[in-house]
Amino acid sequence: MTESMPVISLKNVCKTYSLPFGDVNALKNVSLDIMPGDFVAIMGPSGSGKSTMLNLVGSLDVPTSGSLFIDGIDIKKLTDDELTNLRRDTIGFIFQQFNLIPLLNVRENVEYPYILKYRHKDNEGRCEELLHRVDLTDNMIHHKPNELSGGQQQRVAIARALVNNPKILLCDEPTGNLDSKTGQQVMELLSELNSHGMTVIMVTHDQNIAEYARRQIILMDGEIV
Amino acid sequence: MSNRIFFEFAKRSVRLHWLRSSLAVIGIVIGVAAIASMGMLGNSLVLSVSDSLSDVGDSIVIYPHGGISQGPGSVVKNDKITERQVKDIKSASGGNAVIPLYSTADEIKVGGEDGIATVYGLDTEDMPVVLNLADGQWLKSSSGAMAGSRLAEEYELKPGSRIKLGDNNLRIVGILEERGMGFDINPDNAVIVTDKFYSSTYDQDDYDQVIVKVTDINDIESVMDAIDKKMNKRDDVIDAFDTKAILETILDTFGKISMFTTAIGGISLLVAGVSIFNVQMMSVTERIKEIGIIRSIGTQKNEVLRMFIYESLILGFFGATLGALFSFVGGYLAILIMLQETSYLFEPSTLIYIPFGMAFGIATSLISGLYPAWKASNLNPIEALRHE
Ligand SMILES: Nc1ncnc2c1ncn2[C@@H]1O[C@H](COP(=O)(O)OP(=O)(O)O)[C@@H](O)[C@H]1O
Ligand SMILES: [Mg+2]
């Protein structure tokens, strides 16, 4: 993969949801290239198609029409298992609700995608290294997610998203459930990751948060404006 | 091993909901215990019956009315069967072999040892019909005798040995095969002599017992009816027992108990299956969001499926293991009470019912868990993620 090739490429992407009372065109003819190392904020009012776009880019869903390339791969050609492996290996997800796994402790949450990918436990201290990098201390690693504050949970989620060295980090309202100070700390962490070359795509409706991005895309009624 | 992590999920989920998990497990425990212990009891019974009854039901045993010999040794008799009555029995039995015999108990001395043995007297011609020879020869003359296997063992008798029966010296010409307990005769602990020797020694002409060997086992009831009709006209003169019917009564009684208990086992497995299904559906419904999370970060459908199957397998395995323990204890007690003996419990053909019952329990939970697991693995990740 050469550096000049886009890591995400949408061409005339449409996404239509079929509902009993008619179709909803959530995305209409969206074309967009995102280059490696970019930091993109997707903005727009509620219902404009931001989450739909993020789901497509995260290979959680496939376009109704048009083409979508993720890391050079045409995702129309992938089976469900291959899409799943793409999420596991190439994409890191960060959610507004943190979405940690309640049955697993902090370290296990970070280790989980690693085990999915490598089929063995992390014996190289990668989880600890990542937890340090997001400023979590060793005495927290055996806590269950619900014993942590929101900011701490989001840091664990970031560590988890990074454990398989993804090319792309997808964030859906990453600061939406955090107070503004904690939100800023999380944004600084994301900026730092981006400055080391990570491609970051973030959905937000907060202009202050969007300022951290290098590029802002605004969606209206399923179209880029 | 990535399977380990899915197993870990299952284990933790079961542990988190230990109360409802235990309730679901109880059904499996009861089902497995009932099915396995009944199987074990049934097999022990069959083993014990076929071990101790050599001829499985081709004889009619006839005693004088009111005088049943209570097994070897004890002789409680009021009456005898006369030569005339034997003739009548013969004419009622069609072509089947009719064997009249004498029996008593007498003192036996071999070398310095002495004791009591059963004595059977019968026609030399009839001996091969009801007895089996292990060593030596069939008895031909009144000066000889044959010894049952246990008696021969006890007194170290061989063909050619000499014994003293009452006041008479007899030479052992043959040793009989071990036969086990029978409904007709029990020769293992007996001395067999000729009818001539018996009637002159004990001064007795009438017989103690008559055995009718039926060539075609399907005739047994009609032959018995014919004998009964002929003999017991006005008063009951004889009592006739058909060994097949005795056996059938035992096995039939057991069959009913066993069917009843196995039905209970089956029903409790069914109930257990339903409750495991419920528990698993609950587990899936409660964890829709979690399923969405793990799917979105790269868990494949089949991995989610495995996670939930492990969960129901853990329930099934726990239930089956507990059920196996209970069935062993329960089977042990039941066999002890019914057979006064537990050695048949340790036969492989009996113990096999434990894994057999366990397999039933585990299969039940596996089947009950399939649909919930399938449902979990086929959730749409995006919708599952949005679920609150
Ligand atoms: N799974 C779905 N089924 C049907 N309609 C949907 C679904 N997801 C989103 N939509 C519709 O698509 C449009 C865009 O939704 P979404 O991408 O969630 O917008 P945003 O994230 O910008 O608020 C909305 O009209 C929404 O109702
Ligand atoms: Mg949204």
Side-chain angles (χ1 to χ4, degrees):
Chain A
M1 210 70 35
T2 59
E3 286 297 302
S4 58
M5 216 179 136
V7 69
I8 304 254
S9 173
L10 295 91
K11 282 196 187 70
N12 303 321
V13 165
C14 296
K15 180 71 194 179
T16 307
Y17 295 109
S18 296
L19 292 175
F21 48 83
D23 290 354
V24 177
N25 296 315
L27 287 180
K28 302 168 193 161
N29 270 315
V30 171
S31 296
L32 174 71
D33 280 346
I34 296 172
M35 301 307 281
D38 213 345
F39 191 155
V40 182
I42 301 172
M43 302 190 65
S46 176
S48 57
K50 305 185 293 294
S51 295
T52 301
M53 187 160 146
L54 207 69
N55 289 338
L56 291 176
V57 169
S59 75
L60 275 165
D61 208 349
V62 289
T64 310
S65 67
S67 66
L68 168 57
F69 286 80
I70 299 173
D71 196 23
I73 301 163
D74 182 356
I75 72 154
K76 270 215 164 138
K77 296 201 172 104
L78 301 186
T79 64
D80 189 81
D81 280 351
E82 287 164 338
L83 286 172
T84 306
N85 290 347
L86 189 68
R87 296 198 290 274
R88 182 191 69 190
D89 300 343
T90 311
I91 295 158
F93 281 98
I94 295 163
F95 305 92
Q96 179 175 358
Q97 319 271 351
F98 321 132
N99 285 354
L100 297 175
I101 301 161
L103 287 176
L104 304 182
N105 70 27
V106 165
R107 189 186 184 283
E108 289 165 337
N109 260 286
V110 177
E111 192 185 28
Y112 178 72
Y114 183 97
I115 294 176
L116 287 182
K117 181 174 182 183
Y118 296 105
R119 312 264 138 196
H120 63 78
K121 289 185 164 267
D122 158 41
N123 302 314
E124 307 146 22
R126 173 145 182 85
C127 297
E128 284 77 6
E129 180 199 315
L130 283 168
L131 284 165
H132 288 160
R133 193 156 151 206
V134 297
D135 284 329
L136 284 167
T137 53
D138 281 340
N139 59 12
M140 280 177 193
I141 67 173
H142 296 302
H143 284 55
K144 285 283 163 69
N146 59 10
E147 297 161 0
L148 304 181
S149 71
Q152 288 168 331
Q153 288 190 55
Q154 197 60 302
R155 287 160 196 277
V156 177
I158 293 171
R160 177 179 72 182
L162 297 175
V163 74
N164 284 338
N165 269 322
K167 290 219 163 95
I168 308 152
L169 209 51
L170 299 182
C171 319
D172 196 346
E173 304 268 9
T175 61
N177 277 14
L178 302 175
D179 61 67
S180 61
K181 189 164 168 282
T182 321
Q184 271 176 24
Q185 288 168 355
V186 166
M187 286 318 297
E188 264 147 36
L189 196 55
L190 293 179
S191 294
E192 192 209 316
L193 289 168
N194 175 249
S195 70
H196 287 94
M198 176 76 68
T199 312
V200 181
I201 303 167
M202 170 179 72
V203 166
T204 184
H205 60 256
D206 184 337
Q207 187 56 46
N208 292 329
I209 295 298
E211 294 302 330
Y212 285 89
R214 301 186 193 184
R215 193 175 156 200
Q216 297 183 10
I217 289 169
I218 299 172
L219 279 177
M220 285 287 193
D221 272 338
E223 287 173 300
I224 295 177
V225 293
Chain B
M1 270 291 286
S2 63
N3 266 333
R4 280 263 287 282
I5 188 80
F6 304 125
F7 187 75
E8 194 64 35
F9 268 94
K11 212 174 76 186
R12 289 185 190 185
S13 168
V14 169
R15 210 189 285 152
L16 192 66
H17 305 293
W18 64 270
L19 184 61
R20 73 177 189 213
S21 303
S22 324
L23 291 176
V25 159
I26 288 174
I28 297 283
V29 174
I30 296 172
V32 169
I35 287 176
S37 56
M38 265 309 110
M40 288 160 75
L41 182 58
N43 191 66
S44 302
L45 205 70
V46 168
L47 282 181
S48 114
V49 166
S50 53
D51 255 18
S52 58
L53 299 175
S54 49
D55 65 329
V56 185
D58 63 345
S59 311
I60 298 168
V61 193
I62 300 164
Y63 294 106
H65 180 66
I68 299 169
S69 81
Q70 308 280 309
S74 69
V75 204
V76 189
K77 290 182 190 178
N78 312 334
D79 243 312
K80 307 283 177 206
I81 298 174
T82 63
E83 191 73 45
R84 243 194 89 84
Q85 290 169 328
V86 172
K87 274 212 182 89
D88 287 343
I89 294 171
K90 265 187 188 148
S91 75
S93 305
N96 293 301
V98 174
I99 301 149
L101 50 88
Y102 301 106
S103 73
T104 187
D106 202 353
E107 226 179 318
I108 173 176
K109 277 203 184 91
V110 182
E113 286 179 82
D114 56 0
I116 300 282
T118 310
V119 182
Y120 283 113
L122 63 162
D123 193 316
T124 50
E125 304 256 307
D126 290 337
M127 289 178 184
V129 183
V130 285
L131 302 170
N132 292 306
L133 190 66
D135 195 11
Q137 292 174 338
W138 287 107
L139 190 55
K140 289 279 168 342
S141 77
S142 302
S143 59
M146 294 196 291
S149 63
R150 220 176 300 160
L151 195 77
E153 211 171 283
E154 194 182 336
Y155 294 100
E156 290 169 10
L157 300 173
K158 282 183 221 44
S161 302
R162 295 195 164 272
I163 64 165
K164 194 171 180 198
L165 185 67
D167 298 326
N168 299 283
N169 284 305
L170 290 169
R171 206 173 74 92
I172 298 293
V173 299
I175 308 293
L176 300 174
E177 267 179 20
E178 180 163 352
R179 191 165 175 286
M181 195 190 83
F183 291 122
D184 48 359
I185 56 171
N186 295 292
D188 286 355
N189 211 22
V191 179
I192 313 296
V193 295
T194 62
D195 50 351
K196 291 196 187 74
F197 174 86
Y198 189 102
S199 64
S200 65
T201 306
Y202 297 102
D203 195 20
Q204 180 186 335
D205 286 328
D206 295 340
Y207 297 100
D208 293 291
Q209 179 186 348
V210 175
I211 296 168
V212 181
K213 283 268 171 194
V214 182
T215 341
D216 184 349
I217 196 140
N218 298 315
D219 291 346
I220 203 155
E221 267 109 28
S222 61
V223 174
M224 212 163 80
D225 282 350
I227 294 171
D228 191 57
K229 214 168 261 166
K230 177 120 191 164
M231 306 303 296
N232 298 330
K233 274 180 184 144
R234 210 170 312 140
D235 300 309
D236 280 359
V237 182
I238 51 117
D239 293 320
F241 300 93
D242 133 23
T243 53
K244 189 179 151 216
I246 298 172
L247 254 181
E248 273 172 0
T249 311
I250 294 177
L251 292 178
D252 190 54
T253 308
F254 172 74
K256 281 183 186 131
I257 300 171
S258 144
M259 210 158 76
F260 179 69
T261 320
T262 312
I264 292 176
I267 290 168
S268 59
L269 275 191
L270 194 76
V271 173
V274 172
S275 72
I276 286 187
F277 178 86
N278 267 327
V279 163
Q280 287 305 98
M281 282 310 272
M282 252 192 253
S283 182
V284 172
T285 317
E286 283 170 359
R287 290 162 68 194
I288 289 180
K289 172 105 180 176
E290 186 185 329
I291 295 163
I293 298 170
I294 61 174
R295 288 282 284 129
S296 70
I297 62 175
T299 310
Q300 294 183 351
K301 280 183 179 182
N302 72 79
E303 292 169 329
V304 175
L305 186 84
R306 257 186 279 163
M307 198 178 285
F308 282 89
I309 292 219
Y310 287 152
E311 213 173 299
S312 47
L313 278 181
I314 288 175
L315 298 180
F317 189 78
F318 257 103
T321 307
L322 281 176
L325 285 176
F326 283 126
S327 74
F328 189 80
V329 175
Y332 183 90
L333 290 177
I335 291 166
L336 189 67
I337 289 163
M338 282 192 68
L339 303 175
Q340 270 86 45
E341 215 221 322
T342 55
S343 65
Y344 296 112
L345 179 66
F346 300 97
E347 293 287 330
S349 65
T350 303
L351 290 177
I352 193 80
Y353 281 94
I354 293 180
F356 181 75
M358 286 178 79
F360 255 97
I362 293 172
T364 301
S365 30
L366 181 65
I367 291 166
S368 315
L370 275 181
Y371 175 74
W374 177 85
K375 201 173 140 95
S377 68
N378 279 289
L379 287 174
N380 178 324
I382 299 170
E383 273 157 31
L385 259 181
R386 256 206 300 238
H387 190 90
E388 278 314 316

